[in-house]
Amino acid sequence: MKRHISFLLIAMLLLSTTACKSSKENKEVTETPAALAEKLAAETITTDPLNSIAPEILASTYFVDMEQIEDSSALLSNGATSCEITVIKCKENTYTSEVKKLFEIRVKNQADLYITYNAAEAKRLDSAIIKISGNYVVLCVCDDNSKAESILTEAGF
Amino acid sequence: MAQRKRRKRQQPGRLFHILILIIILLFIFEANILINMFKKENIKKNIQTNGAVTKKASSEKELSTNTNVPETDAQIKAASPVPQIPDSPCVVHRQDTSVDDTYFSDAVFIGDSRMEGFRNQSGISTGTFLTGVGMDAENIFETPFISTESGNITVYQALYNSDYKKVYIMLGTNNLGDYNYDDFKEKYRICLGEIRKILPKADFYIMEVAYVEESKVTTGDYVNNSNIDKLNEKILELCEQSDYNYIAINEVLSDGNRSLIKDASSDGVHIYDSYCKLWLDYLKSHYVNTTDDTTSDTASTETD
């Protein structure tokens, strides 16, 4: 009887830790776009100083509808590389797929331009990270993709 | 008695093992949480220490409104030297009042990666930017540099049917390797002429090519300040002959010795944010007075 109880206890403990893990994997993004973008820039970009652009410039760069955006942050390069980090929080998650599509267009256009000018930058653009989580969409063109992936997983992407 | 004692010791032993197991599992679980907490703390510290690298737009806005106060190292450095300004009637001189960002709402900025860097780093909030890496006075005609929702298009396609009132353009860095700068001048003349056909009423501001920090340049020996001087001479001639306004941007980006200010750039060519802000402030205080009310409406009350 006692053996059964001990097995039951162990099974319960294992189940509870598994449940904690799965709930962590599905957690929502709580960081602000600015905080997440700055974290990505600080930890994944070493070649180029990025700087925050005005929302008006963000809108014309990515062709996003600012009316549908709750909060955003875009850190762009001084022209030396193709590095850029943009995090957008949409008002409704129905707009996220459109933003993702616009990010993909931006990356393709940049890659088309760089391919004849700077092959290394074109390659960097080929491995651009574009992800959706809840109302958030992130674009990350950086030096350290594995670090960026880890930060984004930690953030809830 | 001895057997009883052994039995009593064995029975709590099992429970003790189970309890130990539970405690170990709980400890592992708690330790995991603690490790994650420390990781988050480290990330926060990193962000704080790297805060200077990525400044927020709000601080940029403050800088752009206080154009006369040298707040950054860049402003202090740039304020000390006295670079030569070309003596020509087409050179745009400092106005008594600076305009604000809205002045550029009907302006189009055309240029290469350096102009793109200016857009990204200066904190400017208005204006249309038709920029692309590798743009020069020749390939501007046929290369699709400008990103749209349906792919890249040429500058001329992007300008088609537009009604911009001001044109700011800086090309030439990617022509430094051509060496025949008379040929460059001719190409630039055609390029500007075509834009003028599309925007006949616009004010044209042709920016001279900004100097480079030669010791950092890795793209080729031809990217040097001697060649930039030669190219800028041709640009000035072109402005005089075709009646364009010449913006002597090196007045604020030069170290006073015909070179880009030391450490104003990571690669010697593309300029850091604080210097791009100086560049923007320069454009705000260097414009031509027109009878258009826009200028007086957007001019701030600050005096230089």
Side-chain angles (χ1 to χ4, degrees), chain A residues 6 10 20 24 38-39 43 49-53 56-57 61 63 76-80 105 109 113-114 117, chain B residues 18 21 29 36 43 53 55 60 117 119-121 124-125 133-134 145 147-149 152 270-273:
Chain A
S6 64
I10 291 162
C20 287
K24 190 184 165 187
E38 282 172 17
K39 187 189 292 181
E43 297 193 31
L50 303 192
N51 216 56
S52 178
I53 58 168
E56 295 86 350
I57 301 296
T61 302
F63 312 109
L76 267 61
S77 151
N78 69 353
I105 289 168
N109 286 351
L113 193 53
Y114 270 105
Y117 180 72
Chain B
I18 292 165
L21 193 69
F29 183 64
N36 281 338
I43 288 163
V53 180
K55 290 166 192 168
E60 292 168 6
R119 179 196 70 164
N120 296 344
Q121 305 270 319
I124 193 166
S125 61
V133 292
F145 283 107
S147 178
T148 73
E149 284 178 74
N152 289 336
H270 300 96
I271 298 165
Y272 285 138
D273 61 334

Side-chain angles (χ1 to χ4, degrees), chain A residues 99-101 103-104 107 128-132 137-140:
Chain A
V99 174
K100 184 174 181 273
K101 195 178 133 195
F103 279 174
E104 285 164 354
V107 169
I129 299 168
I130 301 173
K131 279 177 183 284
I132 295 178
V137 194
V138 63
L139 163 64
C140 181

Side-chain angles (χ1 to χ4, degrees), chain B residues 116-144:
Chain B
E116 195 160 296
F118 167 77
R119 179 196 70 164
N120 296 344
Q121 305 270 319
S122 67
I124 193 166
S125 61
T126 59
T128 301
F129 283 81
L130 303 180
T131 59
V133 292
M135 190 186 289
D136 64 41
E138 188 175 13
N139 65 16
I140 187 173
F141 289 102
E142 76 275 1
T143 306

Side-chain angles (χ1 to χ4, degrees), chain B residues 188-199:
Chain B
Y188 210 4
R189 185 198 303 280
I190 296 165
C191 158
L192 293 169
E194 290 301 313
I195 298 171
R196 197 178 237 175
K197 278 182 196 168
I198 301 168
L199 301 166

Side-chain angles (χ1 to χ4, degrees), chain B residues 95-99 284-287 295 299-304:
Chain B
Q95 296 288 336
D96 291 338
T97 53
S98 288
V99 294
K284 284 178 177 175
S285 59
H286 290 71
Y287 54 88
T295 304
S300 71
T301 50
E302 294 170 54
T303 53
D304 296 315

